Protein backbone atom coordinates (compact mmCIF):
# COMPACT_ATOMS: atom_id res chain seq x y z
CA UNK A 1 0.00 0.00 0.00
CA UNK A 2 2.42 2.75 -1.13
CA UNK A 3 -0.16 5.53 -0.84
CA UNK A 4 -0.55 4.94 2.91
CA UNK A 5 3.18 5.21 3.55
CA UNK A 6 3.28 8.37 1.45
CA UNK A 7 0.30 9.73 3.36
CA UNK A 8 2.13 9.23 6.68
CA UNK A 9 5.10 11.15 5.32
CA UNK A 10 2.79 13.92 4.14
CA UNK A 11 1.09 14.08 7.55
CA UNK A 12 4.44 14.21 9.40
CA UNK A 13 5.80 17.02 7.24
CA UNK A 14 2.50 18.88 7.58
CA UNK A 15 2.75 18.64 11.37
CA UNK A 16 6.22 20.23 11.20
CA UNK A 17 5.05 22.99 8.85
CA UNK A 18 1.96 23.80 10.95
CA UNK A 19 4.11 23.92 14.11
CA UNK A 20 6.47 26.41 12.42
CA UNK A 21 3.52 28.52 11.28
CA UNK A 22 2.09 28.47 14.80
CA UNK A 23 5.39 29.90 16.08
CA UNK A 24 4.77 32.98 13.92
CA UNK A 25 1.42 33.47 15.65
CA UNK A 26 3.01 32.96 19.08
CA UNK A 27 5.77 35.47 18.33
CA UNK A 28 3.07 38.12 17.83
CA UNK A 29 0.70 36.94 20.56
CA UNK A 30 -1.96 36.06 18.01
CA UNK A 31 -4.63 33.50 18.91
CA UNK A 32 -5.22 30.89 16.18
CA UNK A 33 -8.52 28.99 15.86
CA UNK A 34 -9.26 26.16 13.39
CA UNK A 35 -13.01 25.72 12.86
CA UNK A 36 -14.12 22.40 11.36
CA UNK A 37 -17.47 20.71 10.64
CA UNK A 38 -19.43 18.80 8.04
CA UNK A 39 -20.99 20.81 5.20
CA UNK A 40 -23.62 23.31 6.28
CA UNK A 41 -23.27 22.95 10.05
CA UNK A 42 -22.90 26.71 10.45
CA UNK A 43 -19.15 27.51 10.50
CA UNK A 44 -19.49 30.67 8.42
CA UNK A 45 -22.53 31.87 10.38
CA UNK A 46 -20.50 31.46 13.57
CA UNK A 47 -17.62 33.43 12.04
CA UNK A 48 -20.08 36.15 11.01
CA UNK A 49 -21.44 36.33 14.57
CA UNK A 50 -17.88 36.44 15.93
CA UNK A 51 -17.02 39.32 13.60
CA UNK A 52 -20.13 41.20 14.75
CA UNK A 53 -19.32 40.69 18.42
CA UNK A 54 -15.55 41.19 18.44
CA UNK A 55 -14.68 42.98 15.18
CA UNK A 56 -14.36 46.41 16.81
CA UNK A 57 -12.57 45.20 19.91
CA UNK A 58 -9.97 42.90 18.34
CA UNK A 59 -8.06 42.80 15.08
CA UNK A 60 -9.37 39.72 13.31
CA UNK A 61 -8.19 37.96 10.16
CA UNK A 62 -10.16 35.10 8.62
CA UNK A 63 -8.86 32.44 6.24
CA UNK A 64 -11.66 30.69 4.36
CA UNK A 65 -11.03 27.21 2.98
CA UNK A 66 -13.36 26.09 0.21
CA UNK A 67 -13.01 23.70 -2.68
CA UNK A 68 -14.02 26.52 -4.97
CA UNK A 69 -15.80 29.87 -4.99
CA UNK A 70 -15.67 32.84 -2.62
CA UNK A 71 -19.19 32.76 -1.14
CA UNK A 72 -17.96 32.50 2.44
CA UNK A 73 -15.23 35.13 2.04
CA UNK A 74 -17.84 37.57 0.74
CA UNK A 75 -20.09 36.83 3.71
CA UNK A 76 -17.25 37.42 6.18
CA UNK A 77 -15.85 40.60 4.60
CA UNK A 78 -19.42 41.99 4.57
CA UNK A 79 -19.05 41.96 8.37
CA UNK A 80 -16.01 44.24 8.13
CA UNK A 81 -13.38 41.59 8.74
CA UNK A 82 -10.55 40.95 6.29
CA UNK A 83 -10.46 37.51 4.77
CA UNK A 84 -8.22 35.40 2.55
CA UNK A 85 -10.08 32.82 0.49
CA UNK A 86 -8.15 29.62 -0.24
CA UNK A 87 -9.58 27.43 -2.97
CA UNK A 88 -8.35 23.86 -2.49
CA UNK A 89 -9.21 22.93 -6.11
CA UNK A 90 -10.80 19.64 -5.13
CA UNK A 91 -8.81 18.85 -1.99
CA UNK A 92 -11.01 17.90 0.94
CA UNK A 93 -9.14 19.77 3.70
CA UNK A 94 -6.75 22.64 4.42
CA UNK A 95 -3.13 21.94 5.30
CA UNK A 96 -0.01 23.94 6.11
CA UNK A 97 1.16 23.97 2.50
CA UNK A 98 -2.12 25.45 1.26
CA UNK A 99 -1.96 28.07 4.02
CA UNK A 100 1.62 29.02 3.08
CA UNK A 101 0.92 31.89 0.67
CA UNK A 102 -1.78 33.36 2.95
CA UNK A 103 0.60 33.20 5.93
CA UNK A 104 3.08 35.31 3.96
CA UNK A 105 0.44 37.94 3.17
CA UNK A 106 -0.84 38.47 6.72
CA UNK A 107 0.79 41.12 8.94
CA UNK A 108 0.69 39.25 12.24
CA UNK A 109 2.09 42.26 14.10
CA UNK A 110 -1.26 43.97 13.53
CA UNK A 111 -3.45 41.05 14.52
CA UNK A 112 -5.11 39.57 17.62
CA UNK A 113 -7.09 36.66 16.24
CA UNK A 114 -6.68 34.36 13.24
CA UNK A 115 -9.77 32.29 12.44
CA UNK A 116 -9.28 29.50 9.92
CA UNK A 117 -12.51 28.08 8.53
CA UNK A 118 -11.73 24.63 7.16
CA UNK A 119 -13.38 22.80 4.24
CA UNK A 120 -16.78 21.37 5.22
CA UNK A 121 -15.85 17.77 5.93
CA UNK A 122 -16.12 15.79 9.15
CA UNK A 123 -13.34 13.37 8.12
CA UNK A 124 -10.14 14.59 6.44
CA UNK A 125 -9.51 18.03 8.04
CA UNK A 126 -9.02 16.29 11.42
CA UNK A 127 -5.85 14.66 10.06
CA UNK A 128 -4.06 17.87 9.05
CA UNK A 129 -2.69 20.19 11.73
CA UNK A 130 -2.97 23.93 11.05
CA UNK A 131 -1.41 26.96 12.78
CA UNK A 132 -4.09 27.01 15.49
CA UNK A 133 -4.04 26.85 19.28
CA UNK A 134 -7.53 25.40 19.45
CA UNK A 135 -9.56 23.12 17.22
CA UNK A 136 -13.23 24.00 17.27
CA UNK A 137 -15.73 21.58 15.75
CA UNK A 138 -19.27 22.62 14.92
CA UNK A 139 -22.02 20.03 14.81
CA UNK A 140 -25.63 20.94 14.04
CA UNK A 141 -28.65 19.26 15.60
CA UNK A 142 -30.20 18.09 12.28
CA UNK A 143 -27.06 16.01 11.58
CA UNK A 144 -28.02 13.66 14.42
CA UNK A 145 -26.38 12.84 17.72
CA UNK A 146 -24.72 9.67 16.36
CA UNK A 147 -22.01 11.62 14.53
CA UNK A 148 -19.24 11.26 17.17
CA UNK A 149 -19.64 7.48 17.01
CA UNK A 150 -19.19 7.55 13.25
CA UNK A 151 -16.51 10.24 12.91
CA UNK A 152 -14.53 9.81 16.15
CA UNK A 153 -11.20 11.32 15.02
CA UNK A 154 -12.68 14.79 14.47
CA UNK A 155 -14.19 14.87 17.96
CA UNK A 156 -11.06 13.46 19.62
CA UNK A 157 -9.06 16.33 18.10
CA UNK A 158 -11.45 19.07 19.23
CA UNK A 159 -10.97 21.44 22.16
CA UNK A 160 -14.43 22.95 21.79
CA UNK A 161 -17.60 21.42 20.37
CA UNK A 162 -20.11 24.04 19.28
CA UNK A 163 -23.54 22.41 19.05
CA UNK A 164 -25.30 24.66 16.58
CA UNK A 165 -28.86 25.00 15.22
CA UNK A 166 -30.24 24.51 18.74
CA UNK A 167 -33.35 26.35 17.45
CA UNK A 168 -34.14 23.24 15.37
CA UNK A 169 -33.98 20.90 18.38
CA UNK A 170 -37.81 20.61 18.73
CA UNK A 171 -38.04 19.50 15.08
CA UNK A 172 -35.29 16.86 14.91
CA UNK A 173 -34.23 13.66 16.68
CA UNK A 174 -31.12 14.72 18.57
CA UNK A 175 -30.12 13.23 21.91
CA UNK A 176 -27.93 15.92 23.48
CA UNK A 177 -26.96 14.02 26.68
CA UNK A 178 -26.06 10.92 24.63
CA UNK A 179 -23.90 13.02 22.29
CA UNK A 180 -22.05 14.66 25.17
CA UNK A 181 -21.42 11.30 26.83
CA UNK A 182 -19.78 9.85 23.69
CA UNK A 183 -17.77 13.02 22.99
CA UNK A 184 -16.45 13.21 26.56
CA UNK A 185 -15.05 9.70 26.15
CA UNK A 186 -13.34 10.72 22.89
CA UNK A 187 -11.98 13.96 24.36
CA UNK A 188 -12.06 14.32 28.15
CA UNK A 189 -12.34 17.95 29.24
CA UNK A 190 -13.80 19.18 25.95
CA UNK A 191 -15.84 22.40 26.19
CA UNK A 192 -19.44 22.25 24.92
CA UNK A 193 -21.12 25.43 23.70
CA UNK A 194 -24.75 25.33 22.52
CA UNK A 195 -25.69 27.96 19.97
CA UNK A 196 -28.05 29.04 17.26
CA UNK A 197 -25.92 31.12 14.93
CA UNK A 198 -29.15 31.93 13.05
CA UNK A 199 -31.06 33.42 16.01
CA UNK A 200 -27.94 34.43 17.95
CA UNK A 201 -28.90 32.39 21.03
CA UNK A 202 -25.89 31.11 22.95
CA UNK A 203 -23.43 32.98 20.74
CA UNK A 204 -22.50 35.07 23.81
CA UNK A 205 -21.07 31.92 25.43
CA UNK A 206 -18.90 31.26 22.37
CA UNK A 207 -17.74 34.88 22.34
CA UNK A 208 -16.97 34.73 26.08
CA UNK A 209 -14.85 31.60 25.57
CA UNK A 210 -12.97 33.29 22.74
CA UNK A 211 -12.41 36.53 24.70
CA UNK A 212 -11.05 34.60 27.65
CA UNK A 213 -8.46 32.97 25.36
CA UNK A 214 -7.71 36.32 23.69
CA UNK A 215 -7.12 38.05 27.02
CA UNK A 216 -4.85 35.24 28.24
CA UNK A 217 -2.77 35.55 25.07
CA UNK A 218 -2.57 39.34 25.35
CA UNK A 219 -1.19 39.06 28.88
CA UNK A 220 1.49 36.64 27.68
CA UNK A 221 2.83 39.13 25.10
CA UNK B 1 3.80 16.80 -6.07
CA UNK B 2 4.23 13.01 -6.08
CA UNK B 3 1.07 12.35 -4.07
CA UNK B 4 -1.09 13.87 -6.80
CA UNK B 5 0.43 11.67 -9.50
CA UNK B 6 0.00 8.65 -7.28
CA UNK B 7 -3.61 9.69 -6.61
CA UNK B 8 -4.32 9.78 -10.36
CA UNK B 9 -2.98 6.25 -10.71
CA UNK B 10 -5.10 5.11 -7.79
CA UNK B 11 -8.19 6.72 -9.33
CA UNK B 12 -7.56 5.13 -12.73
CA UNK B 13 -7.11 1.65 -11.27
CA UNK B 14 -10.20 2.13 -9.12
CA UNK B 15 -12.22 3.05 -12.22
CA UNK B 16 -11.13 -0.22 -13.84
CA UNK B 17 -11.93 -2.26 -10.73
CA UNK B 18 -15.36 -0.66 -10.27
CA UNK B 19 -16.17 -1.27 -13.95
CA UNK B 20 -15.28 -4.96 -13.55
CA UNK B 21 -17.42 -5.19 -10.41
CA UNK B 22 -20.31 -3.54 -12.24
CA UNK B 23 -20.11 -6.27 -14.90
CA UNK B 24 -20.90 -8.83 -12.18
CA UNK B 25 -24.07 -6.91 -11.35
CA UNK B 26 -24.98 -6.65 -15.05
CA UNK B 27 -24.47 -10.36 -15.59
CA UNK B 28 -27.15 -11.01 -12.99
CA UNK B 29 -29.45 -8.12 -13.88
CA UNK B 30 -28.84 -6.46 -10.52
CA UNK B 31 -29.38 -2.73 -10.15
CA UNK B 32 -26.56 -0.93 -8.31
CA UNK B 33 -27.09 2.37 -6.49
CA UNK B 34 -24.38 4.46 -4.79
CA UNK B 35 -25.85 6.84 -2.19
CA UNK B 36 -23.66 9.76 -1.12
CA UNK B 37 -24.10 12.83 1.09
CA UNK B 38 -22.51 14.89 3.82
CA UNK B 39 -22.80 13.57 7.40
CA UNK B 40 -26.34 13.35 8.72
CA UNK B 41 -28.23 14.28 5.55
CA UNK B 42 -30.41 11.19 5.87
CA UNK B 43 -28.85 8.43 3.74
CA UNK B 44 -29.57 5.65 6.24
CA UNK B 45 -33.12 6.89 6.86
CA UNK B 46 -33.70 6.77 3.10
CA UNK B 47 -32.32 3.23 2.96
CA UNK B 48 -34.61 2.25 5.86
CA UNK B 49 -37.63 3.69 4.01
CA UNK B 50 -36.57 1.87 0.83
CA UNK B 51 -36.33 -1.42 2.74
CA UNK B 52 -39.81 -0.86 4.17
CA UNK B 53 -41.30 -0.09 0.75
CA UNK B 54 -39.51 -2.64 -1.44
CA UNK B 55 -38.08 -5.28 0.92
CA UNK B 56 -40.88 -7.81 0.24
CA UNK B 57 -41.10 -7.18 -3.48
CA UNK B 58 -37.39 -7.20 -4.38
CA UNK B 59 -34.30 -8.96 -3.07
CA UNK B 60 -32.17 -6.16 -1.62
CA UNK B 61 -28.60 -6.16 -0.33
CA UNK B 62 -27.11 -3.13 1.39
CA UNK B 63 -23.42 -2.30 1.82
CA UNK B 64 -22.83 0.25 4.58
CA UNK B 65 -19.65 2.32 4.46
CA UNK B 66 -18.61 3.91 7.73
CA UNK B 67 -15.28 4.93 9.21
CA UNK B 68 -16.08 2.76 12.20
CA UNK B 69 -18.97 1.15 14.05
CA UNK B 70 -22.03 -0.73 12.81
CA UNK B 71 -24.82 1.67 13.81
CA UNK B 72 -26.15 1.98 10.27
CA UNK B 73 -25.92 -1.74 9.51
CA UNK B 74 -27.97 -2.46 12.62
CA UNK B 75 -30.61 0.08 11.56
CA UNK B 76 -30.87 -1.45 8.09
CA UNK B 77 -30.97 -5.12 9.15
CA UNK B 78 -33.70 -4.19 11.65
CA UNK B 79 -35.78 -3.51 8.54
CA UNK B 80 -35.28 -7.10 7.38
CA UNK B 81 -32.69 -6.38 4.70
CA UNK B 82 -29.27 -8.04 4.72
CA UNK B 83 -26.32 -5.72 5.05
CA UNK B 84 -22.54 -5.84 4.91
CA UNK B 85 -20.83 -3.21 7.03
CA UNK B 86 -17.49 -1.96 5.71
CA UNK B 87 -15.36 -0.04 8.17
CA UNK B 88 -12.94 2.17 6.27
CA UNK B 89 -10.67 2.60 9.35
CA UNK B 90 -10.25 6.30 8.82
CA UNK B 91 -10.60 6.50 5.04
CA UNK B 92 -13.05 9.16 3.92
CA UNK B 93 -14.77 7.24 1.11
CA UNK B 94 -15.54 3.76 -0.26
CA UNK B 95 -13.68 2.45 -3.28
CA UNK B 96 -13.60 -0.74 -5.33
CA UNK B 97 -10.77 -2.24 -3.30
CA UNK B 98 -12.68 -1.82 -0.04
CA UNK B 99 -15.78 -3.34 -1.64
CA UNK B 100 -13.79 -6.35 -2.90
CA UNK B 101 -14.34 -8.76 0.01
CA UNK B 102 -18.06 -7.86 0.24
CA UNK B 103 -18.48 -8.42 -3.52
CA UNK B 104 -17.13 -11.92 -3.05
CA UNK B 105 -19.61 -12.69 -0.26
CA UNK B 106 -22.75 -11.56 -2.05
CA UNK B 107 -24.74 -14.08 -4.15
CA UNK B 108 -25.73 -11.81 -7.03
CA UNK B 109 -27.83 -14.56 -8.63
CA UNK B 110 -30.29 -14.12 -5.76
CA UNK B 111 -30.41 -10.32 -5.85
CA UNK B 112 -32.36 -7.51 -7.54
CA UNK B 113 -30.94 -4.40 -5.93
CA UNK B 114 -27.57 -3.51 -4.40
CA UNK B 115 -27.60 -0.29 -2.37
CA UNK B 116 -24.20 1.06 -1.36
CA UNK B 117 -24.32 3.72 1.33
CA UNK B 118 -21.08 5.68 1.14
CA UNK B 119 -19.18 7.42 3.94
CA UNK B 120 -20.82 10.71 4.95
CA UNK B 121 -18.67 13.18 3.04
CA UNK B 122 -19.63 15.61 0.29
CA UNK B 123 -16.09 15.69 -1.15
CA UNK B 124 -14.02 12.52 -1.53
CA UNK B 125 -16.61 9.82 -2.36
CA UNK B 126 -17.39 11.65 -5.62
CA UNK B 127 -13.88 10.81 -6.89
CA UNK B 128 -14.13 7.04 -6.47
CA UNK B 129 -16.32 5.03 -8.84
CA UNK B 130 -18.22 2.09 -7.31
CA UNK B 131 -20.16 -0.80 -8.90
CA UNK B 132 -23.30 1.30 -9.33
CA UNK B 133 -25.49 2.26 -12.28
CA UNK B 134 -26.66 5.43 -10.61
CA UNK B 135 -25.12 7.89 -8.19
CA UNK B 136 -27.68 9.32 -5.80
CA UNK B 137 -26.75 12.31 -3.68
CA UNK B 138 -28.78 13.33 -0.66
CA UNK B 139 -28.75 16.92 0.51
CA UNK B 140 -30.79 18.09 3.50
CA UNK B 141 -32.43 21.51 3.77
CA UNK B 142 -30.60 22.57 6.99
CA UNK B 143 -27.26 22.26 5.15
CA UNK B 144 -28.17 25.30 3.05
CA UNK B 145 -28.79 25.75 -0.65
CA UNK B 146 -25.24 26.97 -1.35
CA UNK B 147 -23.74 23.48 -1.13
CA UNK B 148 -23.62 22.77 -4.93
CA UNK B 149 -21.57 25.95 -5.41
CA UNK B 150 -19.09 24.78 -2.80
CA UNK B 151 -18.94 21.05 -3.57
CA UNK B 152 -19.57 20.98 -7.33
CA UNK B 153 -17.93 17.63 -8.17
CA UNK B 154 -20.38 15.63 -6.07
CA UNK B 155 -23.38 17.20 -7.80
CA UNK B 156 -21.86 16.91 -11.27
CA UNK B 157 -21.47 13.15 -10.69
CA UNK B 158 -25.05 12.61 -9.48
CA UNK B 159 -27.94 11.15 -11.48
CA UNK B 160 -30.48 11.85 -8.75
CA UNK B 161 -30.49 14.54 -6.10
CA UNK B 162 -32.72 13.68 -3.15
CA UNK B 163 -33.53 16.87 -1.27
CA UNK B 164 -34.28 15.55 2.20
CA UNK B 165 -35.63 17.02 5.47
CA UNK B 166 -38.24 18.99 3.53
CA UNK B 167 -40.22 19.02 6.82
CA UNK B 168 -37.60 21.46 8.19
CA UNK B 169 -38.00 23.90 5.27
CA UNK B 170 -40.15 26.38 7.26
CA UNK B 171 -37.44 26.59 9.93
CA UNK B 172 -34.30 27.05 7.79
CA UNK B 173 -32.95 29.36 5.09
CA UNK B 174 -33.00 27.17 2.00
CA UNK B 175 -33.61 28.53 -1.50
CA UNK B 176 -34.91 25.50 -3.41
CA UNK B 177 -35.22 27.17 -6.87
CA UNK B 178 -31.70 28.63 -6.54
CA UNK B 179 -30.29 25.21 -5.61
CA UNK B 180 -31.97 23.51 -8.56
CA UNK B 181 -30.69 26.16 -10.95
CA UNK B 182 -27.07 25.66 -9.90
CA UNK B 183 -27.35 21.85 -9.86
CA UNK B 184 -28.90 21.75 -13.36
CA UNK B 185 -25.87 23.62 -14.66
CA UNK B 186 -23.52 21.12 -13.00
CA UNK B 187 -25.52 18.11 -14.21
CA UNK B 188 -28.07 18.73 -16.97
CA UNK B 189 -30.96 16.26 -16.84
CA UNK B 190 -30.49 15.39 -13.15
CA UNK B 191 -33.61 14.07 -11.38
CA UNK B 192 -34.73 15.97 -8.26
CA UNK B 193 -36.75 14.16 -5.59
CA UNK B 194 -37.97 16.04 -2.52
CA UNK B 195 -38.45 13.94 0.60
CA UNK B 196 -38.72 13.83 4.33
CA UNK B 197 -37.33 10.45 5.29
CA UNK B 198 -38.44 11.24 8.86
CA UNK B 199 -42.14 11.81 8.11
CA UNK B 200 -42.17 9.68 4.96
CA UNK B 201 -43.40 12.54 2.74
CA UNK B 202 -42.16 12.24 -0.85
CA UNK B 203 -40.55 8.86 -0.24
CA UNK B 204 -43.11 7.37 -2.68
CA UNK B 205 -41.49 9.40 -5.48
CA UNK B 206 -38.05 7.99 -4.62
CA UNK B 207 -39.48 4.46 -4.47
CA UNK B 208 -41.24 4.98 -7.83
CA UNK B 209 -37.97 6.12 -9.44
CA UNK B 210 -36.18 3.07 -8.05
CA UNK B 211 -38.92 0.64 -9.15
CA UNK B 212 -38.86 2.05 -12.66
CA UNK B 213 -35.13 1.34 -12.86
CA UNK B 214 -35.60 -2.12 -11.28
CA UNK B 215 -38.30 -3.06 -13.81
CA UNK B 216 -36.17 -1.87 -16.72
CA UNK B 217 -33.29 -4.04 -15.51
CA UNK B 218 -35.51 -7.09 -15.01
CA UNK B 219 -36.74 -6.82 -18.58
CA UNK B 220 -33.15 -6.74 -19.82
CA UNK B 221 -32.28 -10.04 -18.11
Amino acid sequence: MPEIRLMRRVLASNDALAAAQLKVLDRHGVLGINIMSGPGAGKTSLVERTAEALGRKYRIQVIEGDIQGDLDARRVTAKGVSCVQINTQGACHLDGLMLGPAMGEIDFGKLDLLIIENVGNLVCPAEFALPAHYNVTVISTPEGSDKPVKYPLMFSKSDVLVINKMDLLPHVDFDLPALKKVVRKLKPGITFIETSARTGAGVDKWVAWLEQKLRARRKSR
Side-chain angles (χ1 to χ4, degrees), chain A:
Chain A
M1 303 279 276
E3 76 270 30
I4 287 181
R5 249 181 292 162
L6 182 58
M7 196 62 200
R8 281 204 190 119
R9 210 169 65 213
V10 168
L11 286 176
S13 60
N14 182 68
D15 282 353
L17 178 53
Q21 290 170 332
L22 190 58
K23 275 189 190 165
V24 179
L25 273 72
D26 283 334
R27 203 176 303 134
H28 296 96
V30 175
L31 176 68
I33 302 287
N34 174 22
I35 304 185
M36 300 179 280
S37 80
K43 291 185 298 304
T44 313
S45 299
L46 194 70
V47 174
E48 286 177 312
R49 291 285 184 182
T50 309
E52 283 166 8
L54 298 178
R56 288 171 189 211
K57 218 164 159 185
Y58 297 92
R59 299 162 298 178
I60 305 175
Q61 168 75 48
V62 175
I63 295 178
E64 283 291 341
D66 277 301
I67 290 170
Q68 73 173 47
D70 63 351
L71 266 182
D72 291 351
R74 280 188 275 140
R75 285 174 60 185
V76 168
T77 50
K79 298 290 174 186
V81 164
S82 60
C83 179
V84 178
Q85 174 82 53
I86 298 179
N87 281 340
T88 65
Q89 310 289 359
C92 51
H93 62 274
L94 286 177
D95 59 30
L97 200 58
M98 292 184 218
L99 286 185
M103 295 294 291
E105 291 295 320
I106 297 168
D107 186 351
F108 287 96
K110 294 180 178 165
L111 205 63
D112 300 305
L113 172 62
L114 174 67
I115 300 177
I116 305 168
E117 185 185 332
N118 222 308
V119 176
N121 182 341
L122 217 41
V123 189
C124 318
E127 297 191 36
F128 293 87
L130 295 183
H133 299 93
Y134 297 99
N135 284 335
V136 175
T137 296
V138 182
I139 187 170
S140 61
T141 59
E143 291 173 69
S145 40
D146 60 345
K147 291 299 149 298
V149 179
K150 299 174 73 179
Y151 307 90
L153 185 68
M154 178 63 76
F155 295 85
S156 73
K157 293 258 180 120
S158 300
D159 302 293
V160 177
L161 181 63
V162 174
I163 304 162
N164 194 31
K165 305 196 189 180
M166 286 298 289
D167 55 311
L168 295 179
L169 200 57
H171 310 291
V172 296
D173 303 313
F174 188 84
D175 186 338
L176 188 57
L179 173 112
K180 287 184 175 176
K181 197 177 163 190
V182 173
V183 173
R184 276 198 194 101
K185 272 186 197 165
L186 291 167
K187 183 64 183 270
I190 192 169
T191 300
F192 295 105
I193 302 175
E194 297 160 28
T195 61
S196 167
R198 191 170 178 244
T199 68
V203 171
D204 55 332
K205 290 190 199 88
W206 158 247
V207 169
W209 179 88
L210 210 47
E211 276 212 271
Q212 186 205 325
K213 301 302 177 192
L214 279 162
R215 276 193 298 263
R217 202 143 288 270
R218 252 189 191 171
K219 268 183 213 160
S220 72
R221 269 185 205 178

